[in-house]
PDB file of all heavy atoms in Angstrom:
ATOM      1  N   ASN W 746      -8.175 -72.317 -30.816  1.00 85.00           N
ATOM      2  CA  ASN W 746      -9.151 -72.649 -31.742  1.00 85.00           C
ATOM      3  C   ASN W 746      -8.980 -71.753 -33.000  1.00 85.00           C
ATOM      4  O   ASN W 746      -9.962 -70.896 -33.342  1.00 85.00           O
ATOM      5  CB  ASN W 746     -10.595 -72.626 -31.262  1.00 85.00           C
ATOM      6  CG  ASN W 746     -10.843 -73.454 -30.010  1.00 85.00           C
ATOM      7  OD1 ASN W 746     -11.133 -74.715 -30.181  1.00 85.00           O
ATOM      8  ND2 ASN W 746     -10.690 -72.958 -28.877  1.00 85.00           N
ATOM      9  N   LYS W 747      -7.801 -71.848 -33.610  1.00 82.00           N
ATOM     10  CA  LYS W 747      -7.477 -70.937 -34.651  1.00 82.00           C
ATOM     11  C   LYS W 747      -8.338 -71.135 -35.865  1.00 82.00           C
ATOM     12  O   LYS W 747      -8.525 -72.296 -36.290  1.00 82.00           O
ATOM     13  CB  LYS W 747      -5.961 -70.980 -34.966  1.00 82.00           C
ATOM     14  CG  LYS W 747      -5.077 -70.536 -33.822  1.00 82.00           C
ATOM     15  CD  LYS W 747      -3.669 -70.358 -34.260  1.00 82.00           C
ATOM     16  CE  LYS W 747      -2.770 -69.743 -33.185  1.00 82.00           C
ATOM     17  NZ  LYS W 747      -1.394 -69.700 -33.551  1.00 82.00           N
ATOM     18  N   THR W 748      -8.694 -70.036 -36.531  1.00 84.00           N
ATOM     19  CA  THR W 748      -9.556 -70.100 -37.763  1.00 84.00           C
ATOM     20  C   THR W 748      -8.932 -69.179 -38.653  1.00 84.00           C
ATOM     21  O   THR W 748      -7.755 -68.515 -38.382  1.00 84.00           O
ATOM     22  CB  THR W 748     -10.863 -69.665 -37.497  1.00 84.00           C
ATOM     23  OG1 THR W 748     -10.948 -68.411 -36.978  1.00 84.00           O
ATOM     24  CG2 THR W 748     -11.573 -70.599 -36.493  1.00 84.00           C
ATOM     25  N   SER W 749      -9.464 -68.855 -39.857  1.00 80.00           N
ATOM     26  CA  SER W 749      -8.826 -67.917 -40.801  1.00 80.00           C
ATOM     27  C   SER W 749      -9.005 -66.477 -40.231  1.00 80.00           C
ATOM     28  O   SER W 749      -8.290 -65.599 -40.841  1.00 80.00           O
ATOM     29  CB  SER W 749      -9.660 -68.103 -42.071  1.00 80.00           C
ATOM     30  OG  SER W 749     -11.020 -67.823 -41.882  1.00 80.00           O
ATOM     31  N   THR W 750      -9.784 -66.273 -39.255  1.00 84.00           N
ATOM     32  CA  THR W 750     -10.038 -64.855 -38.831  1.00 84.00           C
ATOM     33  C   THR W 750      -9.385 -64.714 -37.498  1.00 84.00           C
ATOM     34  O   THR W 750      -9.429 -63.577 -36.928  1.00 84.00           O
ATOM     35  CB  THR W 750     -11.498 -64.580 -38.657  1.00 84.00           C
ATOM     36  OG1 THR W 750     -12.095 -65.352 -37.894  1.00 84.00           O
ATOM     37  CG2 THR W 750     -12.087 -64.600 -40.179  1.00 84.00           C
ATOM     38  N   SER W 751      -8.645 -65.709 -36.937  1.00 83.00           N
ATOM     39  CA  SER W 751      -8.130 -65.661 -35.545  1.00 83.00           C
ATOM     40  C   SER W 751      -7.095 -64.419 -35.435  1.00 83.00           C
ATOM     41  O   SER W 751      -7.087 -63.828 -34.392  1.00 83.00           O
ATOM     42  CB  SER W 751      -7.379 -66.949 -35.202  1.00 83.00           C
ATOM     43  OG  SER W 751      -8.423 -67.906 -34.944  1.00 83.00           O
ATOM     44  N   ARG W 752      -6.284 -64.275 -36.406  1.00 81.00           N
ATOM     45  CA  ARG W 752      -5.287 -63.141 -36.387  1.00 81.00           C
ATOM     46  C   ARG W 752      -5.935 -61.851 -36.240  1.00 81.00           C
ATOM     47  O   ARG W 752      -5.470 -60.928 -35.446  1.00 81.00           O
ATOM     48  CB  ARG W 752      -4.348 -63.298 -37.420  1.00 81.00           C
ATOM     49  CG  ARG W 752      -3.237 -64.380 -37.247  1.00 81.00           C
ATOM     50  CD  ARG W 752      -2.218 -64.412 -38.230  1.00 81.00           C
ATOM     51  NE  ARG W 752      -1.114 -65.362 -38.006  1.00 81.00           N
ATOM     52  CZ  ARG W 752      -0.045 -65.661 -38.856  1.00 81.00           C
ATOM     53  NH1 ARG W 752      -0.019 -64.890 -39.956  1.00 81.00           N
ATOM     54  NH2 ARG W 752       0.782 -66.545 -38.530  1.00 81.00           N
ATOM     55  N   LEU W 753      -7.053 -61.678 -37.142  1.00 84.00           N
ATOM     56  CA  LEU W 753      -7.704 -60.436 -37.058  1.00 84.00           C
ATOM     57  C   LEU W 753      -8.311 -60.220 -35.738  1.00 84.00           C
ATOM     58  O   LEU W 753      -8.336 -59.075 -35.161  1.00 84.00           O
ATOM     59  CB  LEU W 753      -8.691 -60.361 -38.137  1.00 84.00           C
ATOM     60  CG  LEU W 753      -8.194 -60.280 -39.534  1.00 84.00           C
ATOM     61  CD1 LEU W 753      -9.386 -60.476 -40.604  1.00 84.00           C
ATOM     62  CD2 LEU W 753      -7.421 -58.990 -39.856  1.00 84.00           C
ATOM     63  N   VAL W 754      -8.916 -61.123 -35.084  1.00 87.00           N
ATOM     64  CA  VAL W 754      -9.638 -61.142 -33.856  1.00 87.00           C
ATOM     65  C   VAL W 754      -8.532 -60.776 -32.829  1.00 87.00           C
ATOM     66  O   VAL W 754      -8.774 -59.923 -31.903  1.00 87.00           O
ATOM     67  CB  VAL W 754     -10.341 -62.483 -33.470  1.00 87.00           C
ATOM     68  CG1 VAL W 754     -10.901 -62.295 -32.009  1.00 87.00           C
ATOM     69  CG2 VAL W 754     -11.636 -62.692 -34.441  1.00 87.00           C
ATOM     70  N   LEU W 755      -7.436 -61.475 -32.813  1.00 84.00           N
ATOM     71  CA  LEU W 755      -6.366 -61.202 -31.800  1.00 84.00           C
ATOM     72  C   LEU W 755      -5.774 -59.928 -32.028  1.00 84.00           C
ATOM     73  O   LEU W 755      -5.489 -59.237 -30.994  1.00 84.00           O
ATOM     74  CB  LEU W 755      -5.330 -62.346 -32.052  1.00 84.00           C
ATOM     75  CG  LEU W 755      -5.711 -63.761 -31.631  1.00 84.00           C
ATOM     76  CD1 LEU W 755      -4.611 -64.748 -32.018  1.00 84.00           C
ATOM     77  CD2 LEU W 755      -5.883 -63.768 -30.030  1.00 84.00           C
ATOM     78  N   GLN W 756      -5.703 -59.252 -33.216  1.00 81.00           N
ATOM     79  CA  GLN W 756      -5.213 -57.918 -33.391  1.00 81.00           C
ATOM     80  C   GLN W 756      -6.134 -57.036 -32.790  1.00 81.00           C
ATOM     81  O   GLN W 756      -5.743 -56.068 -32.075  1.00 81.00           O
ATOM     82  CB  GLN W 756      -5.080 -57.684 -34.905  1.00 81.00           C
ATOM     83  CG  GLN W 756      -4.578 -56.295 -35.178  1.00 81.00           C
ATOM     84  CD  GLN W 756      -4.612 -55.874 -36.581  1.00 81.00           C
ATOM     85  OE1 GLN W 756      -5.154 -56.699 -37.470  1.00 81.00           O
ATOM     86  NE2 GLN W 756      -4.097 -54.663 -36.934  1.00 81.00           N
ATOM     87  N   GLN W 757      -7.395 -57.155 -32.931  1.00 85.00           N
ATOM     88  CA  GLN W 757      -8.375 -56.260 -32.412  1.00 85.00           C
ATOM     89  C   GLN W 757      -8.426 -56.346 -30.811  1.00 85.00           C
ATOM     90  O   GLN W 757      -8.545 -55.260 -30.053  1.00 85.00           O
ATOM     91  CB  GLN W 757      -9.886 -56.498 -32.919  1.00 85.00           C
ATOM     92  CG  GLN W 757      -9.988 -56.221 -34.410  1.00 85.00           C
ATOM     93  CD  GLN W 757      -9.678 -54.764 -34.742  1.00 85.00           C
ATOM     94  OE1 GLN W 757     -10.069 -53.879 -34.013  1.00 85.00           O
ATOM     95  NE2 GLN W 757      -9.046 -54.672 -35.892  1.00 85.00           N
ATOM     96  N   LEU W 758      -8.146 -57.649 -30.331  1.00 87.00           N
ATOM     97  CA  LEU W 758      -8.147 -57.729 -28.873  1.00 87.00           C
ATOM     98  C   LEU W 758      -6.896 -57.059 -28.319  1.00 87.00           C
ATOM     99  O   LEU W 758      -7.033 -56.641 -27.202  1.00 87.00           O
ATOM    100  CB  LEU W 758      -8.121 -59.321 -28.556  1.00 87.00           C
ATOM    101  CG  LEU W 758      -9.525 -59.991 -28.741  1.00 87.00           C
ATOM    102  CD1 LEU W 758      -9.313 -61.523 -28.491  1.00 87.00           C
ATOM    103  CD2 LEU W 758     -10.435 -59.546 -27.716  1.00 87.00           C
ATOM    104  N   GLU W 759      -5.819 -57.095 -29.024  1.00 83.00           N
ATOM    105  CA  GLU W 759      -4.625 -56.397 -28.607  1.00 83.00           C
ATOM    106  C   GLU W 759      -4.828 -54.940 -28.472  1.00 83.00           C
ATOM    107  O   GLU W 759      -4.286 -54.228 -27.687  1.00 83.00           O
ATOM    108  CB  GLU W 759      -3.445 -56.729 -29.484  1.00 83.00           C
ATOM    109  CG  GLU W 759      -2.821 -58.109 -29.370  1.00 83.00           C
ATOM    110  CD  GLU W 759      -2.200 -58.410 -27.893  1.00 83.00           C
ATOM    111  OE1 GLU W 759      -1.970 -57.428 -27.291  1.00 83.00           O
ATOM    112  OE2 GLU W 759      -2.082 -59.536 -27.644  1.00 83.00           O
ATOM    113  N   GLU W 760      -5.534 -54.399 -29.557  1.00 82.00           N
ATOM    114  CA  GLU W 760      -5.777 -52.974 -29.487  1.00 82.00           C
ATOM    115  C   GLU W 760      -6.717 -52.574 -28.311  1.00 82.00           C
ATOM    116  O   GLU W 760      -6.495 -51.563 -27.591  1.00 82.00           O
ATOM    117  CB  GLU W 760      -6.537 -52.498 -30.759  1.00 82.00           C
ATOM    118  CG  GLU W 760      -5.563 -52.505 -32.026  1.00 82.00           C
ATOM    119  CD  GLU W 760      -6.247 -51.869 -33.263  1.00 82.00           C
ATOM    120  OE1 GLU W 760      -7.198 -51.034 -33.048  1.00 82.00           O
ATOM    121  OE2 GLU W 760      -5.794 -52.100 -34.309  1.00 82.00           O
ATOM    122  N   ILE W 761      -7.700 -53.487 -27.964  1.00 88.00           N
ATOM    123  CA  ILE W 761      -8.639 -53.239 -26.924  1.00 88.00           C
ATOM    124  C   ILE W 761      -7.814 -53.160 -25.585  1.00 88.00           C
ATOM    125  O   ILE W 761      -7.868 -52.445 -24.682  1.00 88.00           O
ATOM    126  CB  ILE W 761      -9.814 -54.303 -26.839  1.00 88.00           C
ATOM    127  CG1 ILE W 761     -10.704 -54.082 -28.008  1.00 88.00           C
ATOM    128  CG2 ILE W 761     -10.471 -54.136 -25.548  1.00 88.00           C
ATOM    129  CD1 ILE W 761     -11.695 -55.140 -28.174  1.00 88.00           C
ATOM    130  N   ASP W 762      -6.978 -54.218 -25.404  1.00 85.00           N
ATOM    131  CA  ASP W 762      -5.981 -54.511 -24.386  1.00 85.00           C
ATOM    132  C   ASP W 762      -5.152 -53.256 -24.097  1.00 85.00           C
ATOM    133  O   ASP W 762      -4.954 -52.818 -22.902  1.00 85.00           O
ATOM    134  CB  ASP W 762      -5.252 -55.767 -24.464  1.00 85.00           C
ATOM    135  CG  ASP W 762      -4.675 -56.275 -23.089  1.00 85.00           C
ATOM    136  OD1 ASP W 762      -5.332 -56.061 -22.099  1.00 85.00           O
ATOM    137  OD2 ASP W 762      -3.515 -56.660 -23.117  1.00 85.00           O
ATOM    138  N   THR W 763      -4.640 -52.654 -25.241  1.00 84.00           N
ATOM    139  CA  THR W 763      -3.713 -51.510 -25.272  1.00 84.00           C
ATOM    140  C   THR W 763      -4.447 -50.361 -24.623  1.00 84.00           C
ATOM    141  O   THR W 763      -4.031 -49.644 -23.741  1.00 84.00           O
ATOM    142  CB  THR W 763      -3.107 -51.100 -26.529  1.00 84.00           C
ATOM    143  OG1 THR W 763      -2.352 -52.211 -27.022  1.00 84.00           O
ATOM    144  CG2 THR W 763      -2.341 -49.944 -26.569  1.00 84.00           C
ATOM    145  N   TYR W 764      -5.798 -50.100 -25.147  1.00 85.00           N
ATOM    146  CA  TYR W 764      -6.452 -48.988 -24.600  1.00 85.00           C
ATOM    147  C   TYR W 764      -6.982 -49.217 -23.185  1.00 85.00           C
ATOM    148  O   TYR W 764      -6.946 -48.216 -22.423  1.00 85.00           O
ATOM    149  CB  TYR W 764      -7.628 -48.800 -25.460  1.00 85.00           C
ATOM    150  CG  TYR W 764      -7.371 -48.106 -26.900  1.00 85.00           C
ATOM    151  CD1 TYR W 764      -7.704 -48.732 -28.124  1.00 85.00           C
ATOM    152  CD2 TYR W 764      -6.675 -46.880 -26.916  1.00 85.00           C
ATOM    153  CE1 TYR W 764      -7.501 -48.276 -29.246  1.00 85.00           C
ATOM    154  CE2 TYR W 764      -6.416 -46.465 -28.133  1.00 85.00           C
ATOM    155  CZ  TYR W 764      -6.740 -47.014 -29.428  1.00 85.00           C
ATOM    156  OH  TYR W 764      -6.446 -46.560 -30.558  1.00 85.00           O
ATOM    157  N   VAL W 765      -7.239 -50.290 -22.712  1.00 87.00           N
ATOM    158  CA  VAL W 765      -7.659 -50.727 -21.396  1.00 87.00           C
ATOM    159  C   VAL W 765      -6.529 -50.327 -20.479  1.00 87.00           C
ATOM    160  O   VAL W 765      -6.633 -49.769 -19.420  1.00 87.00           O
ATOM    161  CB  VAL W 765      -8.196 -51.982 -21.332  1.00 87.00           C
ATOM    162  CG1 VAL W 765      -8.221 -52.419 -19.763  1.00 87.00           C
ATOM    163  CG2 VAL W 765      -9.502 -52.181 -21.940  1.00 87.00           C
ATOM    164  N   GLU W 766      -5.367 -50.896 -20.845  1.00 84.00           N
ATOM    165  CA  GLU W 766      -4.110 -50.686 -20.137  1.00 84.00           C
ATOM    166  C   GLU W 766      -3.746 -49.233 -20.059  1.00 84.00           C
ATOM    167  O   GLU W 766      -3.318 -48.664 -18.957  1.00 84.00           O
ATOM    168  CB  GLU W 766      -2.980 -51.457 -20.723  1.00 84.00           C
ATOM    169  CG  GLU W 766      -1.705 -51.593 -19.854  1.00 84.00           C
ATOM    170  CD  GLU W 766      -0.663 -52.441 -20.471  1.00 84.00           C
ATOM    171  OE1 GLU W 766      -0.166 -52.097 -21.499  1.00 84.00           O
ATOM    172  OE2 GLU W 766      -0.316 -53.335 -19.768  1.00 84.00           O
ATOM    173  N   GLN W 767      -3.940 -48.555 -21.126  1.00 84.00           N
ATOM    174  CA  GLN W 767      -3.605 -47.074 -21.104  1.00 84.00           C
ATOM    175  C   GLN W 767      -4.555 -46.334 -20.102  1.00 84.00           C
ATOM    176  O   GLN W 767      -4.099 -45.361 -19.454  1.00 84.00           O
ATOM    177  CB  GLN W 767      -3.889 -46.528 -22.470  1.00 84.00           C
ATOM    178  CG  GLN W 767      -3.419 -45.058 -22.709  1.00 84.00           C
ATOM    179  CD  GLN W 767      -3.626 -44.693 -24.185  1.00 84.00           C
ATOM    180  OE1 GLN W 767      -4.711 -44.124 -24.432  1.00 84.00           O
ATOM    181  NE2 GLN W 767      -2.771 -44.810 -25.045  1.00 84.00           N
TER     182      GLN W 767
END
Side-chain angles (χ1 to χ4, degrees):
N746 299 275
K747 290 187 177 180
T748 65
S749 59
T750 60
S751 289
R752 283 187 177 176
L753 290 172
V754 172
L755 288 170
Q756 179 186 7
Q757 295 303 314
L758 285 171
E759 286 296 345
E760 287 192 24
I761 294 171
D762 195 37
T763 296
Y764 287 123
V765 168
E766 191 176 60
Q767 192 179 87

